Each structure stands twice: as C-alpha cells, then as structure tokens.
Amino acid sequence: MVATLTSTPPSFLPLWRRKLPTFNPTQCLGTGKEALEISSNGYIKTNTTGFPEKGISTRPGTSSTPRPPRPRRIILVRHGESEGNVDETVYTRVPDPKIDLTEKGKAEAEECGWRIREMIEKDGANDWKVYFYVSPYKRTLETLRYLGLAFERSRISGMREEPRIREQDFGNFQDREKMRLDKALRLRYGRFFYRFPNGESAADVYDRITGFRETLKADIDIGRFQPPGEQSPNVNLIIVSHGLALRVFLMRWYKWTVEQFEGLNNMGNGKLIVMQKGYGGRYFFSPKWTHTHTHA
C-alpha cells in the first residue's frame, strides 16, 4: 500500500518559513545532555550493559522466552530529488555519494515524514516507535534528516547506517555521453545483468541486498530495535535508500524473477512503499508504483 497525506499537521510549515532544528542521523535522539548512547550497530542503549540479544532464546518459539514481535510494517523510502536527478552533468564533477538534495528534495523528504507519521498514528497505538536503516550517501542522509523532523526523539528507537543499501555503482566520475551510451547498451543487454564499466550490475546489487536482508531478518528475530525488557508490536522500520536498490530489495524479499524485475521502474523521489505485517507475520504490499523515474 502507498500512504497518502490527507491532512497537513499544524506544525508543518514551508521550509523557508521556519528554522530547522539540527538532526544528526548518527545521533538522532539528541545531542549533549539529551543524547543517548548509540552502539555501533545503531541500537540505543539505556544502560551500559544491555544488549537486545540478551535473554532471547536461540531457539525461537520456546514458552519461556517468546520470540519478539515482528515490526508492524517495513517502510521503503526513496531519497528526495537530488541535484543529479535534475542535472546529469553533476555526476561528471561530483562523486555520486556526495551529491546533495535540491530544495524541492528537502521538502519532499519532510512531507514524506509527515505521511509516515499520519499513517502510524492511525493505528491508535500509544507506544509506537520508528527505527531507521539508511544508505550512507549524502542525499539519503539528508533525506533522513528532513524526514526525521516529523518524529520526537522519544519516538525514534535507533538508526543504522547501512552501506549495502547504497545506490548502484555506475563507475567513478561519470562521462555524460559515455553514460548515455552505456544505458542504451543496458537496454539491449538486459537491465538486470548489464554491468557498467568500473561499476555494478543490478545482479551485483542483488548480491549485497541479499546480505542486508539476512541482517534485517536477524535483527527482526532478536528484536534489535526493542529496548531491553520491551516487547512492543508497534515498531515501524524505515529503510531510506535509492530507486534501484529498493526495487532489488523487493525482488529479493518477494522472490520475484528477473523478468518481473525488468518490468519495474523506480518509485518517485520522496515516495514510499509500505510492507504491512499480515497473517502469520508475513509482509504484504499493494504493488502500486507512483511517479516512476528511470534514472537507475
């Protein structure tokens, strides 16, 4: 399902009308005295000895140590509009990981955050929280910063920077004309298997996304985003990444074929797809892709 914004929160003002608070993704629960300690895996520690794995059985299903509840939903977010989305020549002079969001992209990211919050609040739960996985590219970190403005510190249970969900590698500084030729060759060869010179194919991305999926599954199984002693079913995972990486993630999760992948395009900048927990703990979504974009 794709969430839509049905109302604008009273506090939601255009970016140019208000000063934004500092939102540092690696310390997303505040700074100074307000900051909580975040471990290397992004888990927020309320004490110096607690670990999410502690006390959880290695044999899920035993009556004495029940398995942690699965997150209510997994939300996939594509970064807001970047400078590279509006001007491909940027790639010839700026490294892909360092490309910024545009002002429009920042607004898209913030609006996306409010969409997510509105959707979560409709559940009617009081103990809901969000946990973020984010690509280390500048445009995704900026997206997280603006998206995060919709959530108080107490609602953010943690964050992990995850290199395996980064953008497909198209090579280093990209020659514009050569890139156009390479993309034309990709259409002839096949979008999944064509490997860019000095870069990656979608099949290569599939391999690293497979590793990330296994990590995500382990995190879910041990309840890594649950504070020690809590077993809330109202945690929402938010993955902030890139168009192709998110398509490959869905392909890997739902075991789609290469042919099915070839028929997909990117979701729009600042848009989201929701994987909702259903019967038996399985995640489903409505295959509705909006504002498709074919940069990747």
Side-chain angles (χ1 to χ4, degrees):
M1 66 183 67
V2 178
T4 57
L5 186 65
T6 57
S7 62
T8 303
S11 61
F12 181 76
L13 296 175
L15 293 173
W16 60 271
R17 290 185 58 189
R18 59 192 178 85
K19 184 178 180 180
L20 294 176
T22 300
F23 184 81
N24 181 350
T26 60
Q27 291 290 337
C28 56
L29 293 190
T31 57
K33 292 182 179 180
E34 294 179 322
L36 296 178
E37 184 181 0
I38 301 181
S39 70
S40 60
N41 65 10
Y43 177 74
I44 292 176
K45 296 191 289 186
T46 55
N47 57 66
T48 58
T49 59
F51 293 90
E53 301 93 332
K54 190 173 182 179
I56 297 177
S57 172
T58 57
R59 295 183 299 169
T62 60
S63 58
S64 59
T65 54
R67 193 175 208 165
R70 303 191 104 195
R72 181 176 287 270
R73 54 178 65 88
I74 300 172
I75 303 168
L76 310 181
V77 175
R78 186 186 178 198
H79 63 81
E81 180 187 80
S82 73
E83 292 177 348
N85 291 135
V86 297
D87 180 10
E88 290 188 348
T89 65
V90 170
Y91 293 104
T92 67
R93 58 184 182 274
V94 180
D96 197 359
K98 296 183 179 180
I99 290 177
D100 293 297
L101 291 183
T102 63
E103 291 303 310
K104 178 182 177 182
K106 295 172 184 177
E108 288 173 338
E110 186 172 3
E111 181 182 1
C112 182
W114 286 112
R115 289 181 177 182
I116 292 172
R117 178 169 188 132
E118 181 182 50
M119 173 177 56
I120 293 173
E121 288 183 336
K122 286 182 179 179
D123 296 336
N126 294 323
D127 63 341
W128 64 267
K129 292 183 183 296
V130 292
Y131 185 100
F132 297 102
Y133 293 88
V134 62
S135 158
Y137 278 33
K138 189 172 183 180
R139 57 187 177 273
T140 40
L141 291 172
E142 286 183 334
T143 296
L144 176 57
R145 179 194 171 200
Y146 286 92
L147 182 155
L149 296 175
F151 305 98
E152 303 91 345
R153 293 181 180 92
S154 61
R155 293 296 186 182
I156 303 174
S157 65
M159 170 270 185
R160 172 186 286 185
E161 186 177 289
E162 178 50 76
R164 289 173 294 182
I165 59 174
R166 69 188 185 275
E167 175 66 289
Q168 178 182 7
D169 187 350
F170 295 101
N172 297 315
F173 291 102
Q174 300 170 20
D175 180 274
R176 187 179 183 186
E177 294 305 316
K178 187 175 185 306
M179 185 58 63
R180 287 180 177 177
L181 175 61
D182 288 336
K183 288 186 176 181
L185 290 173
R186 178 178 62 170
L187 291 178
R188 292 173 53 192
Y189 192 88
R191 289 197 299 163
F192 186 75
F193 293 111
Y194 181 81
R195 178 179 288 118
F196 285 89
N198 301 312
E200 292 180 303
S201 65
D204 295 322
V205 178
Y206 184 96
D207 291 341
R208 56 177 162 86
I209 290 293
T210 294
F212 168 68
R213 179 189 177 278
E214 296 308 308
T215 297
L216 179 62
K217 183 177 182 298
D219 286 352
I220 290 174
D221 287 344
I222 66 175
R224 187 175 296 279
F225 7 80
Q226 299 278 0
E230 293 189 17
Q231 294 284 294
S232 173
N234 297 310
V235 174
N236 298 267
L237 304 186
I238 302 175
I239 300 174
V240 184
S241 184
H242 308 263
L244 183 133
L246 292 174
R247 279 187 281 145
V248 171
F249 176 85
L250 289 168
M251 177 189 182
R252 180 63 184 85
W253 189 281
Y254 292 108
K255 300 179 176 61
W256 292 342
T257 65
V258 171
E259 182 178 3
Q260 288 172 314
F261 172 86
E262 297 276 3
L264 300 176
N265 288 313
N266 285 348
M267 56 204 286
N269 291 114
K271 301 301 180 183
L272 59 94
I273 285 179
V274 179
M275 298 166 58
Q276 186 83 29
K277 183 174 67 175
Y279 179 77
R282 294 179 180 273
Y283 291 93
F284 66 92
F285 80 106
S286 175
K288 182 179 179 182
W289 298 75
T290 60
H291 303 284
T292 57
H293 189 287
T294 56
H295 166 68

